[in-house]
Amino acid sequence: MRRLLALPAIALCWAVLGPTHVTDVPAPLPIHSGRWPDGRALEIVGDLAAARTVVVLVPGVDTTAANFDTGLGGVQRRAPAWQARQLAAAIGRPDVVVIAWLGYEPPEGVRLAAVREDRAAAGALALRAFVARLPGDRIVLVGHSYGSTVVGLAAPRLDRRVTDLVALGSPGMGADRAADLHTTARVWAGSAASDWTRRLPGLRILGAGHGTHPADPAFGALALPVDGVEGHDGYFVTGTPTLGALAGLARGES
């Protein structure tokens, strides 16, 4: 009887700590702005045909096609489409295009799916395929929150045009060190002092957790300025040093 009672506990531990499983990888998104019934969305800011550099923003937990333009809870700074427009305006160059990419299914809330990397692993495969189809000479990937986990897992075997990977408000990129991402791209990170992800443990045990916080000096990423950024969603607000640094990076000034 005791063995039977122990089975649910064993099953629960395996669900949390078992190996990561790649869920179904979505079919490739068409490369044009749109919102799709399956919850995916894309916003292209600029003329993709004229792009020399393409910046791709990858959002995190609770992002859906329904709140892609308005932001979770109606908070505009949380909206990926708004973030893309903010960055494009700060860059101010017609040969740099910014894309907000929701080509995967993020976890709903900070629950088991957010602690594990199954959704991120599927997203990483979809992101690699999307990036390979982009025009331009140079590509920069910017992951916010769980989106940075997607970027981290996608890092190995990315298109060689990817020069920079950026993690903002990251719970982890699925690695303990930047070197473990196995990429020739530069790795950047920024996390505001008031960002709640700083309170998450920087661990990765089997399928749970996402590794060392990229903003931790021990990770080895290049630091982005975050002074004055408020909370988890303030990185694209006008006037913040993070937005300015991202714009400079996109223009090739860093």
Side-chain angles (χ1 to χ4, degrees):
M1 180 61 72
R2 289 181 180 176
R3 291 181 180 177
L4 290 176
L5 292 174
L7 287 176
I10 293 171
L12 177 61
C13 288
W14 183 256
V16 175
L17 298 177
T20 298
H21 297 285
V22 178
T23 56
D24 292 338
V25 180
L29 278 177
I31 304 182
H32 62 75
S33 297
R35 312 293 180 264
W36 285 267
D38 61 5
R40 295 182 297 162
L42 198 68
E43 180 75 14
I44 299 174
V45 185
D47 181 3
L48 201 55
R52 298 289 301 275
T53 296
V54 179
V55 183
V56 181
L57 308 184
V58 184
V61 168
D62 278 329
T63 306
T64 65
N67 61 35
F68 195 75
D69 298 281
T70 58
L72 178 64
V75 179
Q76 189 179 51
R77 66 179 181 274
R78 296 175 176 171
W82 178 85
Q83 293 169 357
R85 291 192 292 269
Q86 284 284 101
L87 181 53
I91 294 167
R93 290 231 322 236
D95 62 340
V96 181
V97 169
V98 182
I99 299 176
W101 177 86
L102 181 61
Y104 80 112
E105 182 182 0
E108 300 81 20
V110 186
R111 302 171 185 168
L112 178 59
V115 174
R116 291 182 55 82
E117 295 178 349
D118 306 76
R119 303 275 185 97
L125 293 176
L127 180 60
R128 281 183 198 152
F130 178 77
V131 166
R133 295 160 55 219
L134 291 174
D137 304 320
R138 177 171 172 257
I139 297 170
V140 177
L141 302 184
V142 181
H144 176 245
S145 195
Y146 191 83
S148 68
T149 311
V150 175
V151 170
L153 296 185
R157 299 181 298 281
L158 271 171
D159 189 296
R160 292 185 179 183
R161 292 174 297 157
V162 177
T163 60
D164 297 88
L165 308 179
V166 180
L168 298 175
S170 175
M173 300 183 77
D176 291 323
R177 300 176 305 156
D180 295 336
L181 296 175
H182 302 294
T183 178
T184 57
R186 296 183 298 178
V187 181
W188 302 79
S191 182
S194 56
D195 192 319
W196 61 265
T197 58
R198 281 181 170 269
R199 301 194 295 272
L200 298 174
L203 302 172
R204 192 175 190 234
I205 304 173
L206 297 177
H210 307 302
T212 305
H213 292 171
D216 186 329
F219 186 77
L222 298 165
L224 286 172
V226 292
D227 293 343
V229 173
E230 296 184 2
H232 185 55
D233 304 294
Y235 300 99
F236 295 90
V237 172
T238 300
T240 58
T242 310
L243 182 62
L246 289 173
L249 176 60
R251 291 191 297 260
E253 298 170 359
S254 299

